[in-house]
Amino acid sequence: MRLARLAQVLTVVTGVGVLTLVGLFGLAAASQSGHERAMRELMALMERADALSVAGDAVLVAGLGPQDVASFAAAADALGVELRASGAPAARVAEALAAIDHMVAVAEDTWADAAIPGGAASPLGVPATTASAMTSMAAAGVALDHVMARLVDAHLAESSARARAATAGFGAAALGFGALSLAILRLLHRRVGGPVSRSAAAVERFAAGDRSARSGVGGRDEIGRLGASIDALMAGVAAHEDALSASNERLQLALAQRQALFDALPANVA
């Protein structure tokens, strides 16, 4: 593969790796943000559930009749609607709704049994129903709080599991990208760094007087052709120097012969 094409491939692969890491980070950040928002909503529902339990006790202790029972039932219905829309597990929502319905039923039954018209005194004035009603209301409130606590714990566990999965996925992607980067660097060294180093070393040996020095680099890519050209150039220079040396030897021999001839001329003339 030519270096230009190899560079394009490596650029694309590196870009895909970087985009993958950025995408995984974005997904993890979005997931974490969504879980934090869901947790805030769940905690708000838990506060609403606590307030409903307090309101149930207030209806029994200081209620003013059916109008307070109706307000309590409306608040309970609103909480039930929000629980259904919260996306919590259906089984837990059903438990919470059962506790809420029981609290409303206790309030309605207590006032019905007391047979007190609106504006009358609290049904606590009826000892036979008071203790049972408050115990039943407290049990329903405890059950509701227990369900909401389980919802919070389940959400925290799910959030932790997803965070661990996101961390593991991001770590695996980072390791994969690191391994890919090492493979790219090794490929570049094998295709570029090594041949260039051998060519430079061969040129240095040739310049130092080793006329047999060659890089041995070959191939059809740019570095291979460059190495072959350098070797051919050094071979040409060596052959040219050999030819010059042979020519110089012949010239020196001819000069020596002519000098000997000139030196012999006086004797020949005499």
Side-chain angles (χ1 to χ4, degrees), residues 223-266:
I223 297 297
R225 295 201 304 272
L226 178 61
S229 299
I230 291 175
D231 288 348
L233 179 61
M234 289 190 296
V237 170
H240 185 64
E241 288 183 349
D242 292 339
L244 287 177
S245 178
S247 178
N248 186 48
E249 291 178 357
R250 292 194 298 270
L251 181 59
Q252 292 296 332
L253 179 59
L255 289 175
Q257 291 174 349
R258 291 183 180 182
Q259 186 64 42
L261 179 61
F262 288 143
D263 292 340
L265 281 178

Side-chain angles (χ1 to χ4, degrees), residues 8-190:
Q8 293 176 355
V9 172
L10 295 181
T11 301
V12 171
V13 171
T14 303
V16 170
V18 171
L19 290 177
T20 300
L21 290 177
V22 173
L24 288 175
F25 180 78
L27 289 176
S31 177
Q32 185 63 27
S33 177
H35 279 286
E36 291 177 356
R37 182 174 60 255
M39 176 58 70
R40 289 194 296 269
E41 295 175 354
L42 195 57
M43 294 302 297
L45 286 177
M46 193 171 185
E47 293 177 359
R48 293 278 304 279
D50 292 339
L52 187 68
S53 297
V54 174
D57 293 336
V59 168
L60 296 180
V61 175
L64 298 178
Q67 58 184 1
D68 282 353
V69 174
S71 297
F72 177 70
D77 290 339
L79 179 59
V81 170
E82 292 186 12
L83 281 172
R84 292 187 184 93
S86 66
R92 297 290 178 266
V93 173
E95 293 178 8
L97 293 178
I100 293 172
D101 291 341
H102 185 70
M103 293 170 69
V104 174
V106 168
E108 292 175 348
D109 293 344
T110 299
W111 277 97
D113 293 342
I116 298 177
S122 167
L124 286 178
V126 185
T129 60
T130 299
S132 176
M134 294 192 66
T135 300
S136 184
M137 181 68 75
V142 170
L144 179 60
D145 291 341
H146 181 65
V147 172
M148 296 303 298
R150 290 173 67 185
L151 284 175
V152 171
D153 292 341
H155 185 79
L156 287 175
E158 181 183 1
S159 179
S160 298
R162 291 197 177 188
R164 288 193 298 270
T167 302
F170 188 79
L175 289 176
F177 184 68
L180 179 62
S181 299
L182 290 177
I184 290 173
L185 291 176
R186 183 171 182 178
L187 178 61
L188 288 176
H189 176 73
R190 184 171 63 85

